């Protein structure tokens, strides 16, 4: 299974010359889309005794007003758990909207909210979905100065009809290396069940490479620094985005 997962990621990387997309960091950009765009992403999460492959993850984003866009996202998930059969199928579908209520500018703070609703389309018994609808409520911050871009995100996630709820916060720093290439790193802290005495932390590094006028290749590699359950995880993403 591990060879299958690695092969799937390589296929996505090799296919970057054809239209597809995705943004790798947890911390989002505060800017709302001004053009329609479509994304494709592959993600691998490697934990002791369990690998999770998301391939493909597709997202369609449409601008609906000035500084406001809506999006729909779906994916296929493969779970490879030690001592159990491999499970593959559709995961939960997510609907979201982003409102950039304070616009960005050189040396100015930008602010946005991006509420999301997840629908239980994945089979919970097979580990492919939550089994219930859920919400995410993030506040996104951004600041640009010269070649540097800084971002932050604070959010709350909850699955309806269950005790599952989580708070998280992340910070991101990116620097433009060339007119087409940006490199960045982020730190994310998560508090499952809103228990701030049991925090999970993870660090990631990634890149964004503009290809042509309206497309971008993105990638990320990250690892947990500390987990409350002492189960470290590695995460890898690669994606491609095209706008029109």
């Amino acid at each position: 299974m591990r060879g299958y997962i690695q092969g799937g990621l390589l296929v996505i990387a090799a296919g970057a010359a054809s239209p597809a997309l995705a943004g790798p960091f947890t911390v989002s950009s505060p800017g709302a889309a001004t053009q329609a765009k479509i994304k494709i992403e592959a993600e691998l999460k490697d934990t002791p005794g369990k690998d999770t492959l998301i391939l493909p993850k597709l997202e369609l984003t449409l601008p609906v007003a000035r500084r406001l866009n809506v999006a729909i996202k779906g994916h296929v998930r493969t779970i490879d758990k030690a001592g159990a059969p491999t499970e593959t199928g559709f995961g939960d579908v997510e609907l979201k909207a982003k409102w950039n209520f304070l616009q960005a500018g050189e040396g100015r703070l930008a602010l946005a909210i991006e509420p999301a609703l997840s629908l239980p389309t994945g089979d919970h018994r097979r580990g492919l979905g939550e089994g219930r609808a859920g919400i995410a409520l993030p506040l996104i911050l951004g600041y640009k100065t010269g070649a540097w871009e800084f971002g932050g995100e604070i959010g709350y996630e909850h699955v309806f009809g269950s005790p599952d709820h989580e708070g998280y916060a992340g910070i991101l720093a990116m620097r433009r290396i060339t007119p087409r290439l940006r490199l960045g790193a982020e730190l994310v802290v998560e508090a499952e069940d809103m228990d701030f005495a049991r925090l999970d932390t993870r660090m990631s590094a990634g890149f964004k490479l503009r290809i042509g006028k309206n497309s971008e290749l993105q990638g990320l590699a990250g690892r947990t620094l500390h987990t409350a359950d002492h189960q470290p995880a590695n995460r890898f993403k690669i994606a491609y985005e095209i706008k029109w």
Side-chain angles (χ1 to χ4, degrees), residues 63-153:
V64 294
R66 184 170 177 265
R67 292 187 282 170
L68 176 66
N69 68 243
V70 295
I72 180 170
K73 180 164 58 176
H75 68 274
V76 174
R77 182 181 295 257
T78 298
I79 307 293
D80 182 21
K81 195 172 183 179
T86 298
E87 299 284 359
T88 299
F90 290 106
D92 292 345
V93 168
E94 185 176 75
L95 307 174
K96 58 184 181 178
K98 180 185 289 186
W99 176 35
N100 176 208
F101 60 89
L102 185 61
Q103 197 165 13
E106 178 67 24
R108 290 169 46 192
L109 182 68
L111 293 170
I113 55 173
E114 191 175 21
L117 172 68
S118 63
L119 305 177
T121 53
D123 191 332
H124 178 63
R125 292 178 301 173
R126 297 167 59 202
L128 303 175
E130 294 290 347
R132 302 172 184 267
I135 58 167
L137 302 171
L139 173 66
I140 305 165
L141 303 86
Y143 182 84
K144 295 182 180 181
T145 177
W148 286 95
E149 300 175 36
F150 301 97
E153 184 168 327

Side-chain angles (χ1 to χ4, degrees), residues 220-237:
L220 175 143
R223 180 176 173 81
T224 54
L225 302 177
H226 172 269
T227 60
D229 60 4
H230 306 291
Q231 294 290 310
N234 300 307
R235 190 185 302 263
F236 306 94
K237 295 182 183 181

